[in-house]
Amino acid sequence: MKFYDCSTAPSPRRVRIFIAEKNIKIETVELNLMKGEHMTSDYRSKNPNLEVPLLELEDGTTIPQVNAICRYLEDIHPDNPLHGRDPVEGALVEAANTKIQLDGFMAAAEAFRNFTPGLKDRAMPGPHNYAQIPELAKRGLLRLDNFLADLESHFESNEYMVSNYFSVADISALVCIDFAKWVKKPIPEDYKNLHRWYGTVSARPSCKV
Ligand SMILES: N[C@@H](CCC(=O)N[C@@H](CS)C(=O)NCC(=O)O)C(=O)O
């Protein structure tokens, strides 16, 4: 297997942490997005979405999308389950992970990509160019405020994203919170519950990547 990564980008970091939690070894191919190494015809033939991460299997099958890659790795390495230990927990992890993707990652990406000068006409990743919309950057920042506030409320009565169980949703939330710092949205100082959870999760050796 080969894992197509970019060590500075948030989405592939979610997979790197997942791989480290599972303690599996996968050959990594580093792509420099700033240099456009994901825009080559060779990479396009593997991933027409022109995004990282990507997992390439021995038989040439390519799996794009963080969630699909993590699900596949879970299925072939079921020890130390990160997608729930029973069907109910599995559903709750899926719900939490989807919400982080929609309310957290989309908001941070909206804020970052619609404002960063180097991403003019690249307001969305992928094969199609889109102009920046400054209003979307502003809305992204507001959505991040709410995302962080909702997490603070959640951690008033929960140890992790799903009750007392560390899951792939915690990995997603951690990476999203670090991504939000790119647009100057750190965890507010007085969010003591979110700081407690962040301290616990970011101290895991897997999360140092
Ligand atoms: N929905 C995708 C998002 C992947 C994504 O946004 N990747 C970014 C890096 S964090 C990317 O490849 N960007 C390429 C670009 O900006 O052209 C997933 O979950 O894998």
Side-chain angles (χ1 to χ4, degrees), residues 66-200:
V66 173
N67 290 342
I69 295 169
C70 292
R71 170 56 71 183
Y72 173 75
L73 294 175
E74 182 81 67
D75 286 346
I76 61 169
H77 292 281
D79 286 352
N80 179 27
L82 294 168
H83 282 84
R85 296 163 295 187
D86 60 50
V88 170
E89 210 171 60
L92 296 176
V93 169
E94 184 76 29
N97 214 21
T98 303
K99 190 166 161 53
I100 294 159
Q101 181 100 12
L102 294 175
D103 292 352
F105 274 100
M106 297 315 294
E110 234 171 38
F112 177 67
R113 298 195 71 109
N114 285 287
F115 150 86
T116 303
L119 291 175
K120 198 173 170 302
D121 291 325
R122 292 289 300 155
M124 306 278 289
H128 309 293
N129 288 339
Y130 293 97
Q132 293 175 325
I133 302 175
E135 286 301 316
L136 271 185
K138 284 190 206 153
R139 190 185 73 176
L141 294 174
L142 291 177
R143 291 179 66 201
L144 281 177
D145 287 338
N146 290 327
F147 176 71
L148 293 171
D150 291 349
L151 285 179
E152 170 63 8
S153 302
H154 174 83
F155 289 121
E156 264 171 36
S157 51
N158 292 280
E159 196 179 341
Y160 289 106
M161 286 306 303
V162 175
S163 63
N164 62 353
Y165 159 70
F166 177 85
S167 73
V168 67
D170 293 283
I171 298 174
S172 302
L174 175 81
V175 175
C176 188
I177 285 173
D178 286 340
F179 185 22
K181 294 176 195 163
W182 291 21
V183 289
K184 299 190 171 41
K185 284 289 174 193
I187 302 173
E189 254 175 48
D190 60 335
Y191 282 15
K192 62 179 190 334
N193 298 299
L194 185 49
H195 277 293
R196 174 198 26 85
W197 167 88
Y198 183 85
T200 304

Side-chain angles (χ1 to χ4, degrees), residues 9-12 33 38-39 50-53 65-66 101 113 122 125:
S11 297
L33 301 186
H38 59 309
M39 299 283 192
L50 302 178
E51 289 174 342
V52 285
Q65 302 293 337
V66 173
Q101 181 100 12
R113 298 195 71 109
R122 292 289 300 155

Side-chain angles (χ1 to χ4, degrees), residues 4-35:
Y4 291 83
D5 191 5
C6 170
S7 55
T8 52
S11 297
R13 181 176 175 224
R14 290 167 66 192
V15 179
R16 283 202 303 279
I17 296 174
F18 192 91
I19 289 171
E21 283 288 337
K22 288 285 186 182
N23 201 16
I24 45 188
K25 301 277 170 270
I26 303 180
E27 182 188 345
T28 294
V29 180
E30 172 77 10
L31 296 181
N32 186 326
L33 301 186
M34 302 290 282
K35 290 188 179 162

